[in-house]
Amino acid sequence: MQLFNTLTRSKEEFMPLDPARVGMYCCGPTVYNFVHIGNLRAYIFDDVLRRTLRFNGYNLLHVMNITDVGHLESDADEGEDKMEKGATREGLTVWEIARKYEDAFFHDAKRLNIERPEVVCRATEHIPEMIAMIERLLERGMAYITPNAVYFDTSKFPNYAALARLDLSGMQAGAGGRVQLTGEKRHPNDFALWFTNKPRHIMQWDSPWGRGYPGWHIECSAMSMKYLGETFDIHCGGVDHIPVHHTNEIAQSEGATGKQFVRYWLHNEFLIIDKGKMSKSGENFLTLQVLIDRGYDPLSYRYLCLQAHYRSELMFSWENLDAAQQGLRRVYSTSAENDPLTDDARYADAKAEALEALNDDLGTPQLVGILNRYGSMRLWKEFDAVLGLDVARRSRRAEEELPEEVKRLVEERNAARRARDWQQSDAIRNQLIEMGYDVGDSPAGTTVRRKVL
Ligand code: AMP
Ligand code: ZN
């Protein structure tokens, strides 16, 4: 398998530390609101990666966090606390907000056939691990204490710029530097590991540095290392995480252990809408439920995502979603009889071709193109282990024997049409649609098919 590693900006052959168990960590949602379909693109990508690893025979330990500690709105540790804002908005406690949106997230994930990672871990349940890691950083001289926070000292970590290829020149604080330092940070890139002296903040825990709460980045370092060890194979997230969140995760983790943290960094590009970023507020906020309310199947959105490469931006539009739904309908109606690949040798060749496309850095658009070109239900079913489109179940449903009542209505409608009774013919058509059938007119009469999308 070839995977594009953000660390080296190149495709590399994937070689796990321990072939018996691939360790993978993906940054999970911040649970103060519904996730939008852009966030869901990230989790569809994680899911396709985990399914591809399994398809290639690897066992997997996939860990995902739930960010349920309140954090400030900007990466610069400023602004309002997101969880508290959610709580005020809805008249709930911060804890209720966190559970509500965690449940909503998994509900959406399930509707998109996103598998649940082996380990799902909440930040609020790993405060001791975070404190232990901060103590380790202080012992190694990688952090310093101020009256309001414990900060990571980026000047002690020479590789700080590596992942994001940051240009740190001109970022010196003080005389000559462009950046004005606020508060008591020593360097502009230093970031908080633990906040203290914030009496208004609702979520607080005791720590050796006083009551307070963790910075945003430390949870991912502490939890990934707890479940996967100090060095592990794969870490994922959206491209927005490269310059701050993942850069800081590496600094904290390698600062604490002196070892390489993650071997392959994979980042998905953004879902965009009208050239803009999808954000958790404003008109650009589309949830999965909005798509469903407009008559789309969640798997049509999954299919849309699979038709774009994860490292390309994907432009969302209703037209694109329409096209994806039509395309998926064609997939489900691929005939299981007359399969063009009944010959085992031909099937093996086609499968090898499809797998090669997939293993070239998760080439799902190419894979989907190949499957559509062969039009083989057998091949669709096999690769559905990766694509997760429910092909076997839905196509079987489409081919089910029609119930007697439906057959009778079809006969009645054909009779009405022969008698040019269009009113009756339309009424029966509407009745069949209500019952969940697609209704068409062919020269031979009414055609019906159980609607699967
Ligand atoms: P958040 O809850 O904001 O931390 O985001 C959860 C995940 O969604 C992160 O991996 C983000 O990088 C990713 N993400 C956020 N916005 C988008 C978007 N418009 N398209 C794709 N991924 C996104
Ligand atoms: Zn993270």
Side-chain angles (χ1 to χ4, degrees):
M1 279 178 73
Q2 297 269 315
L3 295 174
F4 186 90
N5 189 348
T6 306
L7 265 182
T8 57
R9 301 290 194 278
S10 61
K11 277 190 213 173
E12 294 175 20
E13 185 64 27
F14 176 63
M15 302 223 266
L17 272 178
D18 174 3
R21 197 219 66 180
V22 172
M24 160 168 158
Y25 183 90
C26 303
C27 292
T30 311
V31 284
Y32 65 98
N33 200 344
F34 294 109
V35 292
H36 55 62
I37 58 173
N39 300 128
L40 289 168
R41 183 186 188 199
Y43 302 108
I44 291 171
F45 156 65
D46 296 343
D47 186 60
V48 170
L49 176 58
R50 65 171 271 133
R51 287 164 176 266
T52 300
L53 289 162
R54 264 210 326 254
F55 199 81
N56 280 276
Y58 292 115
N59 285 320
L60 202 65
L61 184 56
H62 172 190
V63 179
M64 186 186 75
N65 65 305
I66 299 288
T67 301
D68 58 350
V69 175
H71 291 294
L72 304 178
E73 270 172 329
S74 80
D75 280 339
D77 298 328
E78 285 154 12
E80 235 184 315
D81 180 285
K82 292 176 186 171
M83 296 291 288
E84 292 188 22
K85 211 172 142 188
T88 310
R89 182 183 67 224
E90 301 190 28
L92 297 172
T93 68
V94 282
W95 301 95
E96 286 166 340
I97 285 287
R99 292 301 172 269
K100 172 179 170 182
Y101 289 111
E102 181 186 323
D103 289 349
F105 169 74
F106 282 112
H107 182 56
D108 280 354
K110 194 154 189 236
R111 297 193 285 190
L112 285 164
N113 276 346
I114 294 171
E115 296 177 338
R116 197 180 166 94
E118 282 71 26
V119 175
V120 173
C121 43
R122 294 176 180 142
T124 50
E125 291 167 4
H126 294 77
I127 301 294
E129 286 85 348
M130 296 184 220
I131 289 176
M133 190 160 184
I134 298 168
E135 285 186 312
R136 213 166 150 188
L137 286 166
L138 282 164
E139 273 161 30
R140 293 179 63 121
M142 308 293 296
Y144 55 91
I145 302 172
T146 75
N148 292 316
V150 183
Y151 283 107
F152 184 89
D153 186 347
T154 52
S155 71
K156 300 282 170 58
F157 189 69
N159 259 340
Y160 187 75
L163 178 73
R165 308 202 167 173
L166 298 172
D167 176 9
L168 300 180
S169 63
M171 294 274 280
Q172 267 72 29
R178 284 190 287 109
V179 180
Q180 272 308 108
L181 279 186
T182 51
E184 354 118 280
K185 275 202 257 184
R186 291 184 193 157
H187 315 280
N189 288 309
D190 291 358
F191 55 91
L193 300 165
W194 187 268
F195 290 100
T196 49
N197 283 335
K198 294 270 195 303
R200 280 183 44 247
H201 198 270
I202 295 171
M203 289 180 162
Q204 304 249 6
W205 293 266
D206 288 326
S207 83
W209 318 286
R211 258 183 102 64
Y213 60 96
W216 171 35
H217 316 293
I218 193 76
E219 68 178 65
C220 286
S221 293
M223 293 194 280
S224 62
M225 281 168 42
K226 170 174 177 170
Y227 295 103
L228 298 171
E230 294 183 346
T231 301
F232 60 91
D233 296 309
I234 301 176
H235 195 313
C236 315
V239 286
D240 55 322
H241 284 344
I242 298 171
V244 180
H245 183 52
H246 290 168
T247 286
N248 290 350
E249 276 190 43
I250 293 174
Q252 296 162 155
S253 308
E254 300 191 354
T257 66
K259 295 180 195 159
Q260 182 173 28
F261 174 42
V262 168
R263 302 172 62 242
Y264 300 85
W265 283 92
L266 271 64
H267 292 99
N268 66 278
E269 252 300 344
F270 264 44
L271 178 81
I272 52 170
I273 180 161
D274 293 331
K275 289 262 176 291
K277 188 182 143 170
M278 185 158 294
S279 62
K280 284 198 175 175
S281 57
E283 237 180 83
N284 279 358
F285 184 68
L286 284 179
T287 60
L288 189 63
Q289 189 60 47
V290 171
L291 270 50
I292 293 169
D293 292 343
R294 288 235 196 162
Y296 294 95
D297 190 289
L299 294 187
S300 299
Y301 179 63
R302 183 173 172 113
Y303 192 52
L304 177 68
C305 290
L306 294 169
Q307 286 173 295
H309 191 258
Y310 76 91
R311 286 194 292 115
S312 306
E313 279 189 347
L314 170 58
M315 171 64 109
F316 178 84
S317 69
W318 296 106
E319 291 74 27
N320 289 347
L321 186 58
D322 251 356
Q325 180 135 309
Q326 298 291 343
L328 189 54
R329 205 168 267 156
R330 277 196 300 279
V331 173
Y332 291 155
S333 56
T334 305
S335 172
E337 296 129 39
N338 313 319
D339 194 302
L341 295 176
T342 41
D343 178 81
D344 282 345
R346 286 201 59 216
Y347 183 79
D349 284 349
K351 180 180 168 183
E353 184 187 347
L355 185 58
E356 193 183 328
L358 175 66
N359 282 349
D360 181 5
D361 192 29
L362 308 187
T364 57
Q366 292 76 10
L367 171 62
V368 164
I370 291 166
L371 297 182
N372 273 309
R373 176 156 55 74
Y374 281 109
S376 158
M377 187 42 90
R378 185 178 168 196
L379 202 58
W380 270 114
K381 283 184 183 164
E382 175 136 27
F383 279 91
D384 206 44
V386 173
L387 300 175
L389 296 169
D390 248 358
V391 169
R393 200 172 59 80
R394 302 244 193 157
S395 60
R396 209 177 303 126
R397 238 180 98 192
E399 281 161 16
E400 269 166 20
E401 168 91 53
L402 297 173
E404 286 308 316
E405 192 195 353
V406 172
K407 286 190 196 161
R408 185 177 54 75
L409 286 169
V410 167
E411 285 315 311
E412 276 177 27
R413 183 164 185 270
N414 286 341
R417 288 175 71 78
R418 280 194 298 274
R420 301 187 160 269
D421 183 350
W422 309 122
Q423 214 180 334
Q424 171 71 353
S425 141
D426 285 352
I428 297 175
R429 190 188 56 198
N430 290 340
Q431 194 179 343
L432 286 164
I433 291 171
E434 289 261 302
M435 291 166 74
Y437 291 85
D438 284 323
V439 182
D441 293 309
S442 79
T446 302
T447 60
V448 288
R449 209 159 181 289
R450 178 161 263 298
K451 198 175 166 69
V452 286
L453 262 182

